[in-house]
Amino acid sequence: MPSHIRKLISEGEHQQLDFKFGITDSKKIARSLAAFANTDGGRLLLGVKDNGAIAGVRSDEEFYMVEAGASLYCRPEVHFEMKEWEENGKTVLEIIIPKSSEAPHSAPDKDGIYRVYVRVDDQNFPANGVLKKVWKKQKDPKGVYIEYGVIERTLLAYLEVHQKITLSAFRRISGYSLPRCEHILADFIILNIIKMNYSESGVFYTLNPDFRLE
């Protein structure tokens, strides 16, 4: 029967699982920790190459670099659990990061600027203003109220025809300010009417497949 680690590796990297051959930068690993904590939680397997080959951790320093990433470079601190596994004489560290109730967590980018990250599929992306508004609104006990006016109907009709829209395109067709467009998109996301999608080229919005205009 495959071991616990072998079963995880067989899944491949995905939204809740990441392989790390080694760690040389606490700030870089902080971005992964923050992204997991901000999204659905997940696991880091230290000592595993991108192709799933088990290399083993190279030194005790790697655990301390994770600890430094979580406590020194994540704001607020990200909490995690660590388990140590032996596989064919090699040590693999399983770092378990739960979905955080303290989100959003931020971490420094390559230039040292603190940003909020999210985990999408097997990648980490900076969160945009729309997602930040979604988080803020979700914590508001008053809930969400949508004024279903001309612009809101125009947005949904546009998505019915063109399938997707970017924030900049929504600003053009609405003539609204950036904050107001972000608020409208955030409200529709919370109500599960539209979905936010990340790609290498940027963020775009689509109708939820279950939603239909009457």
Side-chain angles (χ1 to χ4, degrees):
M1 174 178 282
S3 67
H4 171 71
I5 290 298
R6 291 286 184 187
K7 286 180 181 177
L8 287 176
I9 291 173
S10 70
E11 297 177 10
E13 293 181 299
H14 54 74
Q15 189 151 311
Q16 293 182 279
L17 184 63
D18 196 11
F19 303 156
K20 293 292 182 188
F21 169 54
I23 297 174
T24 57
D25 186 342
S26 289
K27 294 179 182 178
K28 185 175 181 180
I29 200 65
R31 296 196 284 271
S32 291
L33 296 171
F36 278 123
N38 287 335
T39 314
D40 297 319
R43 287 174 163 81
L44 288 170
L45 297 185
L46 306 186
V48 177
K49 295 182 179 180
D50 288 343
N51 63 5
I54 296 175
V57 293
R58 292 169 291 177
S59 73
D60 293 339
E61 287 299 312
E62 298 198 52
F63 168 73
Y64 295 110
M65 294 190 80
V66 174
E67 199 169 47
S71 61
L72 298 180
Y73 297 112
C74 286
R75 299 177 180 172
E77 178 180 351
V78 168
H79 301 286
F80 67 89
E81 177 186 356
M82 192 273 286
K83 294 183 179 180
E84 186 175 312
W85 304 90
E86 290 295 322
E87 192 71 35
N88 295 333
K90 297 176 180 177
T91 300
V92 174
L93 298 182
E94 179 186 10
I95 307 298
I96 304 166
I97 307 100
K99 178 178 173 63
S100 176
S101 60
E102 299 177 82
H105 298 264
S106 61
D109 66 10
K110 293 177 181 178
D111 298 318
I113 299 169
Y114 272 76
R115 300 187 187 279
V116 175
Y117 291 88
V118 291
R119 180 84 175 171
V120 181
D121 296 327
D122 61 349
Q123 297 184 71
N124 304 323
F125 291 94
N128 65 2
V130 174
L131 185 54
K132 292 175 184 177
K133 285 180 172 61
V134 168
W135 285 329
K136 185 175 180 179
K137 288 171 178 283
Q138 285 174 333
K139 293 179 179 180
D140 189 339
K142 293 182 293 185
V144 170
Y145 170 77
I146 284 185
E147 181 180 339
Y148 194 52
V150 174
I151 293 302
E152 288 77 10
R153 291 195 296 272
T154 300
L155 170 62
L156 298 182
Y158 183 97
L159 287 172
E160 279 277 312
V161 175
H162 300 281
Q163 282 75 57
K164 64 182 181 180
I165 193 171
T166 62
L167 177 59
S168 60
F170 181 37
R171 288 188 67 190
R172 284 196 301 272
I173 67 172
S174 69
Y176 285 173
S177 67
L178 175 62
R180 189 169 182 187
C181 288
E182 289 178 337
H183 275 295
I184 291 172
L185 290 170
D187 287 342
F188 276 127
I189 290 170
I190 292 171
L191 294 175
N192 209 29
I193 295 173
I194 66 173
K195 294 174 61 180
M196 177 184 289
N197 306 270
Y198 281 83
S199 71
E200 291 289 351
S201 58
V203 181
F204 61 94
Y205 305 87
T206 58
L207 279 176
N208 186 316
D210 298 327
F211 178 77
R212 291 291 179 268
L213 280 175
E214 297 297 334

